[in-house]
Amino acid sequence: MKDLRLLKNLFFFLLLGFSLCAIQACGDDDEKDETIEEPTIKDDEEEIVPSTPKRLVQMIEEEYDEGDGLHIHTYQFDYDKNGKLASVTEYDTDGDVDDTYSISYTENSITCVETDDKEEDYNGESENVTFRLLNGRINMAIEKHGSSLSYTHSYSYNSSNYLVKTKGELGNMTFTWEGDKLMGGYKHVDKDNYAYSLEYDGKTCKGYNPVMVWMLASDILYESDCFPVVVGPELAGFKTTQLPKSVKEGDETTNFTYELYEDGYLKQCMAIEDDSYYEVYTFVWE
């Protein structure tokens, strides 16, 4: 699960910024053929209203380590009037605010700024990441930790617009897809290669699976905690409804179990490596 923890940290910054185009209202622009009589709805019939995609408003992460006990982190996602992610607030196990992040947008970029870090790791200076967009997807991220530390990452996609490669100053990662299924790849970090693979048993969810993004975020941004794909994974070519059965990295295997809401959206995912370590993710959609 140590490697899974690396995977998971990568997705907080992915989480943060990707939500900006995750929610779009659907309008009905079709013209009616006046020669066809429209059916009438009887009083005892329920009118069918088309559903619109839900957006992720909260994620609760419970992490249990036999040597460190249980830790709970809650992430609250707030949106502006246009449906774009505006801020993220992280709460610790005691319910106190741990970190807050604000997200701003231009036509071709998204910037995520850490606005409150109680640990003040960089002499009180905030962390921030600017994502540059090309054709609606992130093609570069500039990650800054205070004024003295900066990393640059680039992103490549396949013909179906799924992420296939990340390259940064501290390492790179590849992703192999079969349709919308992530099958595996490798991480090259600190001059070492780590291959990983995923297995499936046919389970899917409605909307998308945030766990996939969250698990891989720390590898995409390496040291950062803030990544906007969890709420808008299409920005990073990571939007999938597939629910993997397991992921194997080296001699470690992590198994997943899921619970869905009645409407098919993902409610909870448990990731178990062994009796000494597990993680539970709970999602709230609106």
Side-chain angles (χ1 to χ4, degrees):
M1 207 53 167
K2 299 183 181 68
D3 292 319
L4 181 59
R5 274 175 275 181
L6 282 178
L7 290 175
K8 94 167 173 179
N9 290 335
L10 141 79
F11 276 107
F12 187 38
F13 252 123
L14 283 171
L15 242 209
L16 262 84
F18 287 123
S19 58
L20 64 122
C21 23
I23 309 300
Q24 295 180 346
C26 299
D28 185 5
D29 297 328
D30 295 337
E31 295 183 0
K32 298 176 183 177
D33 186 347
E34 296 180 355
T35 64
I36 300 176
E37 185 178 346
E38 290 292 317
T40 58
I41 299 175
K42 299 179 182 179
D43 293 340
D44 59 349
E45 290 182 348
E46 182 180 354
E47 183 178 2
I48 298 175
V49 179
S51 62
T52 56
K54 290 185 174 182
R55 58 190 179 191
L56 186 64
V57 296
Q58 188 182 80
M59 182 182 80
I60 302 170
E61 178 191 21
E62 302 172 67
E63 181 181 14
Y64 174 79
D65 190 321
E66 189 175 51
D68 198 26
L70 178 66
H71 294 275
I72 301 173
H73 294 272
T74 301
Y75 301 90
Q76 189 72 36
F77 307 106
D78 294 308
Y79 299 80
D80 63 20
K81 61 181 180 181
N82 296 317
K84 294 181 178 181
L85 184 67
S87 65
V88 178
T89 305
E90 178 186 354
Y91 299 90
D92 62 19
T93 303
D94 297 325
D96 298 324
V97 174
D98 197 352
D99 289 305
T100 58
Y101 302 84
S102 64
I103 296 91
S104 59
Y105 306 86
T106 67
E107 183 177 357
N108 296 310
S109 69
I110 307 167
T111 299
C112 175
V113 178
E114 184 181 31
T115 56
D116 179 23
D117 180 1
K118 69 180 183 180
E119 295 182 1
E120 297 183 348
D121 290 334
Y122 298 94
N123 298 319
E125 298 179 273
S126 64
E127 299 181 25
N128 68 83
V129 175
T130 296
F131 300 96
R132 294 180 180 175
L133 305 179
L134 180 65
N135 298 324
R137 287 178 299 280
I138 295 173
N139 73 327
M140 180 179 292
I142 302 170
E143 179 182 355
K144 294 183 178 180
H145 302 265
S147 58
S148 58
L149 207 55
S150 177
Y151 303 114
T152 300
H153 314 267
S154 64
Y155 305 83
S156 302
Y157 302 85
N158 63 18
S159 59
S160 299
N161 296 326
Y162 286 99
L163 185 66
V164 293
K165 186 176 183 179
T166 66
K167 187 176 181 180
E169 295 164 358
L170 297 177
N172 57 68
M173 193 165 184
T174 66
F175 308 88
T176 302
W177 297 84
E178 288 185 4
D180 64 345
K181 289 183 179 180
L182 176 65
M183 302 306 297
Y186 75 87
K187 297 181 294 178
H188 178 71
V189 179
D190 295 334
K191 299 181 180 180
D192 291 320
N193 284 315
Y194 304 88
Y196 66 97
S197 60
L198 293 89
E199 291 188 357
Y200 296 83
D201 58 5
K203 292 185 176 67
T204 61
C205 63
K206 192 173 180 180
Y208 64 94
N209 178 5
V211 178
M212 298 295 291
V213 180
W214 183 253
M215 282 173 49
L216 292 169
S218 63
D219 294 297
I220 295 175
L221 288 183
Y222 198 71
E223 289 190 352
S224 183
D225 266 355
C226 189
F227 202 36
V229 262
V230 172
V231 276
E234 63 277 359
L235 291 177
F238 238 94
K239 187 172 183 177
T240 177
T241 61
Q242 300 291 332
L243 302 175
K245 175 184 178 181
S246 63
V247 58
K248 184 175 182 179
E249 186 171 358
D251 58 356
E252 295 182 350
T253 298
T254 301
N255 296 302
F256 301 99
T257 60
Y258 303 94
E259 181 181 352
L260 304 180
Y261 289 101
E262 289 184 358
D263 60 5
Y265 279 82
L266 183 60
K267 180 178 182 179
Q268 194 172 87
C269 170
M270 176 176 282
I272 304 174
E273 182 178 324
D274 53 42
D275 294 337
S276 65
Y277 187 89
Y278 68 83
E279 292 176 318
V280 178
Y281 305 93
T282 302
F283 303 99
V284 178
W285 308 80
E286 290 183 359

